[in-house]
Amino acid sequence: MSIKSFKQIFQVAAFAVLVAGAFSSCKKNNVSVDVDPLVAPDAAEFIPQTNLYTYTYFIKSTENPFIIPIGITNVSQADRSIGLTYTSRNAVSGTQYTAPTAVTIKAGKAVDSIVFQGKFAGYPSGRKDTVKVKFVGPTVAGRDSFQLIIQGYCDVIAANLSGSYPKSTDTYGGSASTRPNYNATVSNWVSTGATSASIIIKNMGATSDNGWGPFGATDPAVSPGLTATLDWSNPANFSVTVPLQNYFDDGSGMSTITATGVFSACDNTFTVTCKVKYAGNGSTYTHISYLRR
């Protein structure tokens, strides 16, 4: 074999070794990529249990907080902080609520929660606000925001709602009574369930400018009062119902009444829309009675 031929064979063999080495290295790298897990960036999301992202939060005098659960996709050996923002048209931080500007996911965990604290004093009767909570910073895995509808809530206490309402008044046909501040009363409170009761309302609609009354305490036509039922099973709507019953007799026959309305356990007030079928002419008249203290 000539020196030239040997040299050519050596060069071919050396090239083959280099190619094999390169292939081996490439294969090794591929194996490493295939076996080692790819760690995705942290991604957070709100994880409410019922899969709803809008809740009504009723604030009691005890200022019970609202807990908003959140999750993150990765478990880490270090604590991670997730920023939060709160936006609302009218609710102000420190006046209507307090809430953290960030939540920390502890090392080794993937779930935590936000403690949103409403301010009872910031929610007088009738006030309602919406606050939107949103993540700042991490990639979002699911929903990036959570919405709270906030309003005050007062426990229904019989002793607080029973008694005299000396500043009661009515409207009739959209016009205010010319004789306000009559005295209506709520009595005979009987519980009929965990969130319901029956009561007796006396003297409701007593202004004479509405076409009936004033009703005296000893008037035999009205002294028994009106039987009404209260229902507060819906925290957003405390209702009053006066079923069809006799109302008064002014000498032309017995007039009847039905009524529906709402009451407030925070303000101790009743607002009742009444429909009276007047025996004198058979017509039905509507007035609204406001029981106030």
Side-chain angles (χ1 to χ4, degrees), residues 133-162:
V133 189
K134 191 172 183 179
F135 290 125
V136 175
T139 302
V140 178
R143 290 292 296 266
D144 69 342
S145 62
F146 188 93
Q147 186 168 268
L148 288 174
I149 300 171
I150 310 173
Q151 62 187 89
Y153 180 94
C154 295
D155 291 324
V156 176
I157 300 173
N160 292 348
L161 287 163
S162 299

Side-chain angles (χ1 to χ4, degrees), residues 181-193:
N181 300 329
Y182 66 83
N183 188 35
T185 62
V186 171
S187 62
N188 294 63
W189 185 292
V190 177
S191 176
T192 56

Side-chain angles (χ1 to χ4, degrees), residues 44 92 144 160 168 170 231 247-248 285 290:
V92 177
D144 69 342
N160 292 348
S168 298
D170 305 315
D231 187 319
Y247 190 27
F248 64 87
Y285 300 89
Y290 304 89

Side-chain angles (χ1 to χ4, degrees), residues 4-289:
K4 182 178 180 181
S5 298
F6 179 81
K7 185 175 180 181
Q8 288 174 338
I9 292 173
F10 177 81
Q11 288 174 339
V12 170
F15 178 75
V17 170
L18 289 173
V19 170
F23 180 77
S24 174
S25 175
C26 181
K27 182 177 181 181
K28 181 178 180 182
N29 286 340
N30 280 343
V31 169
S32 176
V33 169
D34 291 342
V35 172
D36 293 343
L38 292 173
V39 179
D42 289 342
E45 69 174 322
F46 292 99
I47 48 173
Q49 292 181 355
T50 58
N51 205 32
L52 296 175
Y53 295 88
T54 298
Y55 278 79
T56 300
Y57 170 31
F58 294 96
I59 305 172
K60 295 185 176 182
S61 57
T62 53
E63 295 191 347
N64 49 307
F66 191 92
I67 307 300
I68 309 172
I70 64 169
I72 198 164
T73 51
N74 301 316
V75 174
S76 173
Q77 295 181 348
D79 292 352
R80 288 159 295 172
S81 180
I82 300 174
L84 301 162
T85 61
Y86 305 87
T87 56
S88 175
R89 182 175 297 178
N90 296 308
V92 177
S93 176
T95 303
Q96 273 71 45
Y97 68 91
T98 59
T101 56
V103 62
T104 299
I105 305 291
K106 294 294 185 182
K109 293 185 177 182
V111 175
D112 211 302
S113 57
I114 302 166
V115 179
F116 189 99
Q117 183 79 58
K119 296 281 191 179
F120 184 75
Y123 284 91
S125 181
R127 177 172 181 134
K128 182 185 294 186
D129 290 319
T130 299
V131 177
K132 184 177 182 180
V133 189
K134 191 172 183 179
F135 290 125
V136 175
T139 302
V140 178
R143 290 292 296 266
D144 69 342
S145 62
F146 188 93
Q147 186 168 268
L148 288 174
I149 300 171
I150 310 173
Q151 62 187 89
Y153 180 94
C154 295
D155 291 324
V156 176
I157 300 173
N160 292 348
L161 287 163
S162 299
S164 297
Y165 288 77
K167 295 182 180 179
S168 298
T169 190
D170 305 315
T171 61
Y172 179 74
S175 300
S177 172
T178 59
R179 301 184 183 183
N181 300 329
Y182 66 83
N183 188 35
T185 62
V186 171
S187 62
N188 294 63
W189 185 292
V190 177
S191 176
T192 56
T195 56
S196 62
S198 66
I199 58 172
I200 298 294
I201 304 176
K202 292 185 178 182
N203 222 31
M204 186 170 70
T207 54
S208 59
D209 59 333
N210 278 354
W212 36 83
F215 302 148
T218 59
D219 188 334
V222 297
S223 58
L226 299 173
T227 300
T229 59
L230 306 181
D231 187 319
W232 57 98
S233 56
N234 180 356
N237 182 46
F238 288 8
S239 67
V240 184
T241 303
V242 177
L244 179 64
Q245 57 195 283
N246 293 336
Y247 190 27
F248 64 87
D249 185 351
D250 63 355
S252 60
M254 181 61 71
S255 296
T256 59
I257 185 172
T258 59
T260 58
V262 296
F263 71 99
S264 170
C266 294
D267 298 336
N268 297 336
T269 58
F270 292 78
T271 301
V272 187
T273 299
C274 308
K275 293 186 180 298
V276 178
K277 186 172 183 180
Y278 181 52
N281 59 14
S283 297
T284 298
Y285 300 89
T286 300
H287 76 268
I288 302 176
S289 289

